[in-house]
């Protein structure tokens, strides 16, 4: 006697976050060695997704002593009367500011995460894109590590949106720094 199998179609309906994470020295250090790069990870919707360097409390761990133990968290919610899963982002770091699409978040401040967000702290750049799905008990995250700055890819070249460094020490060389350089606006260019 054949038993019918129930096909789980929840995979097609789950909300997903596509996350690209970039750091100028990512090829030198093993800072992304603990991340599940290129793999979809299913996470429970009732627990916050945390990013930081603490392996015990963070969902995704960055192997970098300059990153806070708990850097940021994403919390899921469902708007009243909607089946859509949405996210808020919260800065958990007491030392570093978090910048989301140009909006600065200080320690414990929270913001609704737009469908496409450029998130920055220190020299890290994260491009988070939400793919809509029904609100279920879980969602999926896929992490990619691009080789070029996300500021270039997103078309953002505004100097006020440059990465915010945790310390006042400049990069070792200008070649290590991929952010905007200062220019004297009083110079006139003539052709």
């Amino acid at each position: 006697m054949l038993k019918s199998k129930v096909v789980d179609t929840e995979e097609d309906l789950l909300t997903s976050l596509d996350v690209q994470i970039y750091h100028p020295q990512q090829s030198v250090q093993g800072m992304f060695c603990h991340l599940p790069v290129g793999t979809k990870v299913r996470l429970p919707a009732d627990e916050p997704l945390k990013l930081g360097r603490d392996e015990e409390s963070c969902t995704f761990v960055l192997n970098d002593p300059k990153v806070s133990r708990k850097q940021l968290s994403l919390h899921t919610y469902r708007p009243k009367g909607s089946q859509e899963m949405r996210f808020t982002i919260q800065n958990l770091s007491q030392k570093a500011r978090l910048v989301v699409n140009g909006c600065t978040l200080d320690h414990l401040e929270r913001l609704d995460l737009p469908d496409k967000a450029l998130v920055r702290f220190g020299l890290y750049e994260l491009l988070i894109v939400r793919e809509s799905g029904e609100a279920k008990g879980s969602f999926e995250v896929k992490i990619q590590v691009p080789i070029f700055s996300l500021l270039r890819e997103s078309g953002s070249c505004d100097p006020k949106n440059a990465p915010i460094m945790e310390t006042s020490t400049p990069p070792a060389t200008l070649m290590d720094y991929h952010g905007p350089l200062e220019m004297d606006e009083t110079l006139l260019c003539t052709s």
Side-chain angles (χ1 to χ4, degrees):
M1 181 174 188
L2 293 173
K3 292 184 180 179
S4 64
K5 293 183 179 181
V6 177
V7 177
D8 183 11
T9 59
E10 185 178 342
E11 282 185 70
D12 299 334
L13 302 175
L14 285 181
T15 299
S16 67
L17 295 177
D18 291 324
V19 180
Q20 293 183 40
I21 183 167
Y22 172 81
H23 189 281
Q25 288 121 9
Q26 65 193 23
S27 62
V28 177
Q29 303 173 8
M31 60 185 57
F32 300 145
C33 64
H34 298 299
L35 296 179
V37 176
T39 305
K40 280 189 179 180
V41 177
R42 186 178 286 194
L43 299 172
D46 58 352
E47 294 178 20
L49 178 158
K50 292 181 184 175
L51 177 71
R53 66 176 159 81
D54 184 14
E55 292 183 36
E56 292 183 24
S57 64
C58 291
T59 315
F60 297 116
V61 178
L62 295 173
N63 186 26
D64 185 349
K66 293 181 182 175
V67 171
S68 294
R69 284 181 290 128
K70 297 176 191 170
Q71 189 72 48
L72 64 88
S73 67
L74 297 177
H75 300 260
T76 60
Y77 74 95
R78 196 178 81 204
K80 185 169 177 60
S82 174
Q83 289 298 312
E84 191 172 58
M85 185 180 293
R86 305 293 300 184
F87 296 85
T88 61
I89 187 167
Q90 183 177 28
N91 184 4
L92 299 178
S93 175
Q94 294 181 8
K95 295 181 181 178
R97 292 180 293 163
L98 190 67
V99 179
V100 181
N101 287 350
C103 181
T104 302
L105 299 178
D106 289 323
H107 182 242
L108 296 181
E109 289 184 336
R110 187 181 287 199
L111 178 73
D112 280 340
L113 192 66
D115 288 341
K116 185 176 183 180
L118 180 62
V119 178
R120 294 174 292 116
F121 59 91
L123 292 176
Y124 286 88
E125 303 167 9
L126 286 82
L127 181 63
I128 303 173
V129 178
R130 183 183 73 87
E131 296 293 329
S132 188
E134 290 185 24
K136 300 282 185 182
S138 59
F139 63 98
E140 292 180 332
V141 176
K142 185 173 183 182
I143 298 176
Q144 299 293 328
V145 178
I147 58 173
F148 296 109
S149 169
L150 298 168
L151 290 172
R152 286 188 221 156
E153 287 184 19
S154 66
S156 176
C157 60
D158 189 349
K160 68 182 176 192
N161 289 336
I164 298 168
M165 299 177 73
E166 289 186 27
T167 65
S168 61
T169 57
T173 67
L174 284 178
M175 296 303 289
D176 292 339
Y177 181 66
H178 295 280
L181 300 174
E182 284 188 29
M183 294 176 39
D184 188 352
E185 294 177 357
T186 60
L187 294 176
L188 295 175
C189 295
T190 57
S191 321

